[in-house]
Amino acid sequence: MANRLANATSPYLLQHAQNPVDWWEWEPEAFAQARARDVPVLLSVGYAACHWCHVMAHESFEDPALAAYLNEHFVAVKVDREERPDVDAVYMAATQAMTGQGGWPMTVVLDHDGDPFFAGTYFPDRPRHGQPSFRQVLEALATAWADQQGEVRRIAGQVRAQLSAAATLPAGPVTPQLVDAAVGRLADEFDPLAGGFGGAPKFPPTMVLEALRRYRGPDTRARQMLDRTVAAMARGGLYDQLGGGFARYCVDRGWVVPHFEKMLYDNGQLLGLYARLGTPLGDRVARETADWMLRELGTAEGGFASALDADSLDADGHSSEGVFYVWTPAQLVEALGEDDGHWAAEVFEVTEQGTFEHGASTLQLRHEPDSERLRSVRTRLREAREQRVRPARDDKVVAAWNGLAISGLVAAGLRLDEQRYVDAAVVAGELLAGLHLDGDRLLRVSRDGMAGRHAGVLEDYALVATAFLDLLQATGDPVWLRRSTALLDTALTLFRAEDGGFYDTAADAEALLTRPRDPGDNASPSGTSAMIHALVAAHAVTGEGRYRDAAEAALGSAAGLIERAPRFAGWLLAAAITMADGPEEIAVVGSPGPARDALAAAARRRPGAVVLVTDGPRDDIPLLAGRTEVDGRPAAYLCRGFVCERPVTDPADLAQRSA
């Protein structure tokens, strides 16, 4: 029999709709039920592509006996962290404060006011390696609630007080010296042998790499860190060497074995990064990743699904992580024949011992051999792989992550001269504008063309606003400027903090344990860093000083994070680099044709520049007002703060201007 989650829109919640657990969604009625029954609330947070979430669901939440105990002694609440990032952020902060670590599935036990008194992550179905079973944990908590409720509530109150008094980082100016020091700290943490930063596990540091790409300071190590890391990620097991697209992270130092789920937020960012590199490897990876995104994450409505799962069914019908992607030498021979099979094993570093599990290997492409043979082998292996059971897809459309995908597709379309990528970005943008916008407010998720009920958070407003400004640069249609500035104006009203920074939830959002506010970048840009980029770009197009003022105040509020932990402030660092004496505002004006196209291409190669292309002067976009050709030839106007240098008509002259 289905439980309450059967009516949810989240694919993750729907995965639990047939559990014997009497799940509630996060809602006041769940806490009212707990208060009426005088039992605590068990909060379980995860997401659809989470491997260990699946494991705990199978071991514990599908067990009728355990579910009966859970239903009797708790009110069970299930949350999709991607649908409710505010709930996730608040209780992840509590979990980390109480245990020193965090992750998913996240398991937190709350009193009737939502105050946590116990927290953890995955719990096994039986004791392992000194860790208690989930049943033992539940029994101990139920006993504590029944016999020591006063002490339990005292602990919960202490946790609330600790989180409410969380330390803030010092604010201050972001100087060139601070930026240079941040790059130096990154160099200290860089892995020169394998690329990336720190040891295992290794996550793609996309925002840090974009900051290094934009950096023009004296530290020459920046380019070395960028080049080494983008090559290592693209040639290792993190990247799908057959189908394109990047996995979430690698469990090892050398980028060999990934955690196989593929997330839209990673790939949207990486697509843009590789497209902007301007190298043969970057162009190939960007094209393959864009094609993968359109092919495997595109929805019928024109948006993009959130993720592909790590797990799928093996030949015996068992769910296994990575089985869709890994190969043995024998499987290569079976798919390709003896000669090409052995050649492919050597090229992709597939060994008899295996680099993954059960003698299977991930595919790596550390060197590129004969391209024609490689092309043929990859095509045949893709066809063979299509006979396997595909990983499940989380098909909800998240506004913020679709914003990242739109920006990545625009970058790839403009840099690779692929109009179909821009066209797909426009369709996705129209979906967000038509379905996710509710007046001046933004809704976070939709699925199957139906908008969900959850309000957008700061990252949604900021990343969608950025995407709309990118669409303006790709199409010249002023509707995208109007839509973007409307979102930014709403965000400035609803999310701004007293010190010039931003909260992650709106002023009128549901009151939680604390009002979440985290300027640090994680797998995707923080709401604060994304807002800074959007505000800077909006100022570059409109010249409205209030956008620039807001960006500078927000950047100053996060200066301490850039200084102390630049690995977790990559998008903030990229904004600081861009804002040091820019961004460059470039208007390219002239009749369509090769001459204008060459100027536009040269303009788009300038790091962090905001580029608009038009046939002639326009009053509906301030940056283009009064811009004309020069002596009948297309011209580029390079400006900063709407103060422009003499226009140029030769792309070489534009390329030679100092960045």
Side-chain angles (χ1 to χ4, degrees):
M1 178 183 293
N3 56 43
R4 293 180 188 84
L5 301 186
N7 297 319
T9 56
S10 158
Y12 174 64
L13 299 188
L14 290 171
Q15 290 172 1
H16 294 267
Q18 299 298 324
N19 291 169
V21 176
D22 189 17
W23 291 113
W24 293 74
E25 291 193 61
W26 180 274
E27 52 194 330
E29 291 79 5
F31 287 88
Q33 179 72 200
R35 186 174 288 108
R37 292 175 49 202
D38 192 23
V39 296
V41 172
L42 183 133
L43 171 64
S44 177
V45 182
Y47 59 102
C50 167
H51 171 72
W52 287 105
C53 299
H54 296 325
V55 173
M56 190 167 177
H58 177 67
E59 291 179 345
S60 297
F61 300 139
E62 295 174 8
D63 178 1
L66 188 143
Y69 187 88
L70 179 57
N71 293 337
E72 180 180 355
H73 296 280
F74 300 84
V75 167
V77 174
K78 177 64 74 172
V79 167
D80 181 345
R81 66 174 295 259
E82 298 172 348
E83 194 171 58
R84 289 299 303 267
D86 51 343
V87 173
D88 176 66
V90 166
Y91 290 103
M92 182 56 71
T95 300
Q96 292 170 334
M98 297 169 74
T99 70
Q101 59 187 4
W104 299 276
M106 177 168 58
T107 306
V108 190
V109 184
L110 319 174
D111 69 11
H112 302 151
D113 297 319
D115 296 352
F117 60 88
F118 175 85
T121 53
Y122 162 79
F123 291 98
D125 59 342
R126 60 182 63 88
R128 295 177 194 164
H129 310 298
Q131 184 180 20
S133 70
F134 189 44
R135 176 64 180 255
Q136 290 173 324
V137 170
L138 294 178
E139 290 174 348
L141 290 166
T143 299
W145 181 266
D147 299 341
Q148 300 174 289
Q149 191 168 136
E151 177 65 11
V152 166
R153 289 187 178 277
R154 186 187 67 80
I155 293 172
Q158 287 181 335
V159 174
R160 173 184 282 270
Q162 180 181 351
L163 293 174
S164 298
T168 57
L169 289 166
V174 180
T175 64
Q177 292 76 24
L178 188 151
V179 169
D180 291 339
V183 172
R185 187 180 288 269
L186 289 171
D188 292 339
E189 300 181 38
F190 180 64
D191 181 348
L193 295 179
F197 298 90
K202 275 190 174 169
F203 292 79
T206 314
M207 291 159 280
V208 168
L209 296 176
E210 178 61 26
L212 295 175
R213 192 187 74 86
R214 298 185 184 191
Y215 178 70
R216 291 297 181 269
D219 197 330
T220 58
R221 295 173 294 179
R223 189 72 202 189
Q224 297 166 4
M225 290 187 280
L226 170 65
D227 291 344
R228 180 72 187 96
T229 304
V230 294
M233 293 193 304
R235 296 193 179 282
L238 183 75
Y239 185 66
D240 183 351
Q241 304 295 343
L242 298 185
F246 290 85
R248 178 69 197 90
Y249 65 90
C250 279
V251 301
D252 61 292
R253 173 189 175 189
W255 305 101
V256 176
V257 178
H259 192 45
F260 290 89
E261 70 240 38
K262 289 180 172 181
M263 313 301 294
L264 178 63
Y265 54 71
D266 284 318
N267 283 281
Q269 295 175 86
L270 287 161
L271 169 58
L273 172 67
Y274 279 87
R276 288 186 290 268
L277 291 177
T279 65
L281 177 65
D283 290 355
R284 175 176 68 80
V285 169
R287 196 178 302 276
E288 292 171 357
T289 300
D291 289 344
W292 167 80
M293 189 183 298
L294 296 178
R295 182 177 67 247
E296 299 196 22
L297 292 186
T299 69
E301 296 76 30
F304 294 95
S306 295
L308 297 182
D309 207 338
D311 299 13
S312 56
L313 298 180
D314 61 20
D316 298 322
H318 299 128
S319 181
S320 300
E321 182 183 2
V323 68
F324 183 76
Y325 298 102
V326 297
W327 297 80
T328 64
Q331 288 172 329
L332 293 177
V333 169
E334 180 181 2
L336 301 170
E338 287 285 341
D339 288 347
D340 281 347
H342 291 305
W343 182 83
E346 181 179 350
V347 167
F348 291 119
E349 302 192 23
V350 176
T351 66
E352 292 293 342
Q353 296 77 21
T355 57
F356 182 51
E357 298 172 351
H358 310 299
S361 295
T362 61
L363 301 188
Q364 304 172 68
L365 191 61
R366 301 296 181 179
H367 307 283
E368 298 205 28
D370 172 69
S371 59
E372 189 56 46
R373 189 176 190 183
L374 178 63
R375 189 177 300 112
S376 171
V377 162
R378 292 177 72 201
T379 298
R380 285 181 284 156
L381 287 179
R382 277 198 303 272
E383 292 171 351
R385 194 172 73 173
E386 284 303 312
Q387 305 309 308
R388 301 175 177 179
V389 178
R390 297 187 60 82
R393 187 174 86 158
D394 180 346
D395 56 359
K396 69 177 179 293
V397 172
V398 176
W401 304 348
N402 272 253
L404 290 171
I406 290 167
S407 294
L409 285 167
V410 167
L414 296 179
R415 295 298 293 266
L416 303 178
D417 195 23
E418 282 283 4
Q419 183 60 38
R420 60 194 179 96
Y421 298 156
V422 173
D423 293 343
V426 170
V427 172
E430 291 291 357
L431 177 71
L432 294 179
L435 185 60
H436 285 248
L437 272 177
D438 183 12
D440 62 350
R441 305 299 286 266
L442 191 61
L443 298 171
R444 179 161 174 85
V445 298
S446 67
R447 185 167 181 258
D448 296 334
M450 298 291 292
R453 58 188 174 90
H454 299 298
V457 295
L458 181 63
E459 69 165 0
D460 295 301
Y461 283 82
L463 292 171
V464 172
T466 299
F468 287 173
L469 287 169
D470 288 333
L471 288 170
L472 170 69
Q473 295 180 67
T475 67
D477 187 341
V479 68
W480 298 114
L481 177 59
R482 294 193 294 272
R483 288 168 173 170
S484 178
T485 53
L487 284 175
L488 291 177
D489 291 344
T490 299
L492 288 171
T493 300
L494 294 176
F495 294 90
R496 204 163 185 189
E498 300 78 8
D499 62 356
F502 293 95
Y503 290 101
D504 292 324
T505 55
D508 58 357
E510 175 188 357
L512 300 173
L513 180 64
T514 59
R515 188 177 179 188
R517 180 185 181 185
D518 184 0
D521 299 313
N522 201 306
S524 58
S526 70
T528 295
S529 64
M531 270 296 290
I532 294 169
H533 281 265
L535 290 165
V536 167
H539 171 257
V541 174
T542 67
E544 291 194 31
R546 63 193 180 94
Y547 293 138
R548 178 75 185 205
D549 292 345
E552 290 179 351
L555 184 65
S557 74
L561 184 61
I562 299 173
E563 181 178 15
R564 298 183 185 185
R567 277 179 62 188
F568 305 100
W571 208 227
L572 290 167
L573 181 59
I577 292 168
T578 299
M579 293 167 66
D581 62 352
E584 294 179 340
E585 308 138 4
I586 306 178
V588 177
V589 184
S591 300
R596 191 184 77 173
D597 292 346
L599 279 173
R604 289 169 179 144
R605 285 193 289 269
R606 299 183 69 83
V610 174
V611 181
L612 293 176
V613 181
T614 182
D615 296 352
R618 293 173 54 174
D619 294 331
D620 52 357
I621 301 175
L623 181 58
L624 300 178
R627 312 297 184 196
T628 63
E629 293 186 329
V630 174
D631 298 330
R633 300 170 62 189
Y637 294 77
L638 192 156
C639 316
R640 292 179 177 86
F642 274 61
V643 177
C644 302
E645 301 179 17
R646 182 175 57 82
V648 299
T649 58
D650 187 339
D653 291 339
L654 184 59
Q656 291 169 5
R657 296 286 176 93
S658 59

